[in-house]
Amino acid sequence: MKNICIIGTGYVGLVTGACLAEIGNRVVCVDTDAQKIATLREGGVPFYEPDLADLVARNVTIGRLSFSTSLAQGMHDAAIVFIAVGTPRGERGESDLQHVRAAAGEIARNVRRDILVVNKSTVPVETSDLVAAILREAAPSEHHVSVASNPEFLRVGCAVADFMRPERIVIGVHEVSTANILIELYAPLNAQVIVTDVRTSEMIKYTANAFLATKISFANEIANICDAVGVDVTEVMHAVGADTRIGRAFLQAGLGFGGSCLPKDVQALAHISRAHSVTPRMLEATLETNRRQIDRICERISVLCGGLKGKKVAVLGLAFKPDTDDVRESPALALAARLVQSGASVTAHDPIAVPNTQKHSPPGIGYAPDPYTALDGAEAVVVATDWNEYKHLDLTAVAARMKGDLFVDARNLYSPQSVRDAGLRYEGVGRPAKRPTAKRVTV
Ligand code: UGA
């Protein structure tokens, strides 16, 4: 059992804190946001993440997890302090490190024993060195303060499962003894641990997210070519992904990638690249393809509806992916906003993301209590997030409630024929109506 302090009760900090408590440690999660700490103390979790609320409640009850606004209190017994604060995007796409710097400064002022400071925030290469420099300068010299990098690979929507059954744990350290502390901490997870130097560990995090994003943009580019040549991209990717060197994951063409991680991290890596005079051509193309995907689909809907002015469009899904209420950089929300800008009247539905959408979205989007109500009188419907709830719609009921007949499957969830059989026009991403194969002409 180790005493741990986690700075930041956002998505990464809270999941990490609750899971480390679950595997037997005593954890104090600290945040400067008093409102958030009050909510957590009352048993509330400030965002939706499957299994997290139960995990938090259980570990609070057995006394292994607590919350505080005071870092002095959080660090009182802690041998390990995790930095899990936000690193928002700066003006030029760079990662804004103000919260990391502030956390390092605060830690330095509260060092009362030898500690290990672990950076879990997603940060550019060299940030752990910066944290170490701040600590060296401001922490009392009689205590040994070591610094490690330990990036997270949690996916929104299955973060607890990802933490408990990781495919790998990456630990970046300057000293072997530091690595051993973290290897021991994570031992109950029985996972592959990869120990590197600190900079390599920081680079691994950005590279992983950039590669995932690039796979998605690649799939979307291929989808656009498939559209032009009359081939179904899902069949292509099914076969291509069967090659284990390529793999099937993240080759699903659709509206593009969103969320608080992939877009921001690709931009941050591109920024690092340019700052070191390396032109990030692939990263730029990944971002550009992603931006264009929304325009492309919006333009396509407009063409198929004969213009969007005054037309009612139902948008199913607002979250950036299923199983979350997170709408940050959500392609579904961006599409809804683009449709409104183009003159359409949009009625949206999402199983849980509507309250968050109302906080963030531009005006002009109406909301329906269930997917079918959203369809009433619509010229077109767009399935924009791949929630399970939208995978088995009653297509006959869909056709009956709509005024028009355009079914835009922007996540390629349906068999085109099943949609056509219900009397609807099917429009997927990279799934055109198949062209008949040209017959060989014998002269
Ligand atoms: C991503 C990474 O997958 C995690 O490994 C990482 O830890 C996390 O960022 C992070 O840095 O914190 P997440 O943001 O939860 O996780 O979302 P993903 O599951 O990666 O999906 C991102 C976007 O790509 C979503 O909008 C999703 O709909 C889209 N996507 C995904 C596709 O369009 N096609 C695909 O084939 C896969």
Side-chain angles (χ1 to χ4, degrees):
M1 200 263 313
K2 293 195 187 307
N3 286 322
I4 294 169
C5 172
I6 311 244
I7 306 180
T9 58
Y11 170 73
V12 173
L14 190 56
V15 172
T16 303
C19 290
L20 286 175
E22 178 72 9
I23 59 173
N25 301 287
R26 187 165 297 129
V27 180
V28 184
C29 291
V30 176
D31 204 298
T32 47
D33 184 337
Q35 181 59 49
K36 228 179 193 180
I37 293 297
T39 306
L40 287 160
R41 280 184 171 155
E42 284 158 16
V45 169
F47 51 89
Y48 176 80
E49 179 64 35
D51 303 327
L52 185 60
D54 288 348
L55 206 64
V56 169
R58 183 165 60 246
N59 284 284
V60 167
T61 308
I62 57 181
R64 283 206 299 246
L65 179 63
S66 60
F67 302 98
S68 176
T69 50
S70 154
L71 187 59
Q73 198 182 338
M75 282 179 60
H76 193 264
D77 298 316
I80 308 176
V81 180
F82 280 89
I83 300 178
V85 295
T87 47
R89 188 186 350 233
E91 273 168 20
R92 284 160 289 120
E94 80 282 13
S95 188
D96 179 344
L97 295 177
Q98 57 166 315
H99 302 303
V100 174
R101 281 201 191 86
E106 269 288 289
I107 294 170
R109 281 186 282 284
N110 287 285
V111 171
R112 304 282 177 270
R113 52 168 62 227
D114 291 357
I115 54 161
L116 166 59
V117 177
V118 184
N119 187 29
K120 235 187 198 316
S121 301
T122 298
V123 290
V125 178
E126 296 180 353
T127 304
S128 295
D129 293 342
L130 169 83
V131 168
I134 294 172
L135 290 163
R136 242 190 335 267
E137 201 155 293
S141 56
E142 68 268 30
H143 301 299
H144 183 69
V145 181
S146 40
V147 174
S149 154
N150 172 217
E152 58 86 17
F153 301 102
L154 311 175
R155 287 165 299 171
V156 170
C158 43
V160 171
D162 281 351
F163 190 100
M164 292 300 188
R165 289 185 292 281
E167 288 186 330
R168 82 298 208 189
I169 290 169
V170 174
I171 295 172
V173 289
H174 296 293
E175 303 146 17
V176 177
S177 55
T178 313
N180 288 338
I181 299 172
L182 290 173
I183 290 171
E184 198 188 314
L185 177 70
Y186 287 120
L189 301 179
N190 264 326
Q192 173 187 197
V193 177
I194 298 171
V195 180
T196 69
D197 62 48
V198 169
R199 288 182 183 205
T200 307
S201 163
E202 291 169 335
M203 191 64 190
I204 288 168
K205 168 69 192 182
Y206 274 130
T207 306
N209 274 1
F211 187 68
L212 293 172
T214 302
K215 271 187 109 175
I216 298 167
S217 277
F218 178 80
N220 284 332
E221 186 159 300
I222 296 293
N224 298 340
I225 301 171
C226 283
D227 256 332
V229 297
V231 168
D232 186 329
V233 71
T234 62
E235 286 180 42
V236 173
M237 289 312 182
H238 179 65
V240 169
D243 183 333
T244 51
R245 292 172 304 169
I246 297 170
R248 288 212 172 95
F250 280 68
L251 287 180
Q252 207 162 314
L255 272 178
F257 57 83
S260 62
C261 305
L262 298 195
K264 174 170 80 79
D265 292 354
V266 181
Q267 281 196 11
L269 186 55
H271 184 269
I272 294 169
S273 176
R274 281 188 292 268
H276 288 81
S277 306
V278 179
T279 306
R281 289 200 176 80
M282 287 202 37
L283 302 179
E284 278 164 1
T286 294
L287 291 166
E288 182 56 19
T289 302
N290 200 49
R291 274 191 290 269
R292 277 287 306 148
Q293 199 64 3
I294 305 274
D295 296 340
R296 215 187 134 82
I297 291 171
C298 186
E299 281 157 20
R300 190 83 189 121
I301 298 170
S302 177
V303 168
L304 292 169
C305 282
L308 283 167
K309 276 229 151 37
K311 304 275 169 64
K312 183 175 169 190
V313 180
V315 173
L316 302 186
L318 292 161
F320 85 96
K321 64 184 231 181
D323 297 319
T324 178
D325 61 356
D326 195 340
V327 294
R328 285 175 291 172
E329 305 216 19
S330 165
L333 182 51
L335 178 71
R338 193 67 53 86
L339 290 166
V340 169
Q341 264 172 24
S342 310
S345 125
V346 171
T347 303
H349 172 265
D350 190 282
I352 56 172
V354 170
N356 270 348
T357 307
Q358 285 169 323
K359 275 186 243 156
H360 293 100
S361 80
I365 302 175
Y367 301 97
D370 65 84
Y372 295 96
T373 308
L375 300 166
D376 283 337
E379 293 284 340
V381 55
V382 188
V383 181
T385 307
D386 38 347
W387 281 101
N388 277 336
E389 185 170 346
Y390 303 146
K391 288 183 180 163
H392 305 285
L393 293 169
D394 175 347
L395 295 170
T396 313
V398 169
R401 292 190 83 140
M402 287 172 64
K403 181 173 163 211
D405 63 355
L406 181 60
F407 187 96
V408 182
D409 182 9
R411 294 288 177 181
N412 287 349
L413 303 179
Y414 283 82
S415 118
Q417 198 51 49
S418 67
V419 175
R420 291 188 187 115
D421 287 348
L424 293 161
R425 264 187 303 162
Y426 180 85
E427 178 69 15
V429 179
R431 305 179 83 191
K434 283 208 175 168
R435 291 189 194 158
T437 311
K439 293 221 171 70
R440 188 199 289 257
V441 181
T442 23
V443 194

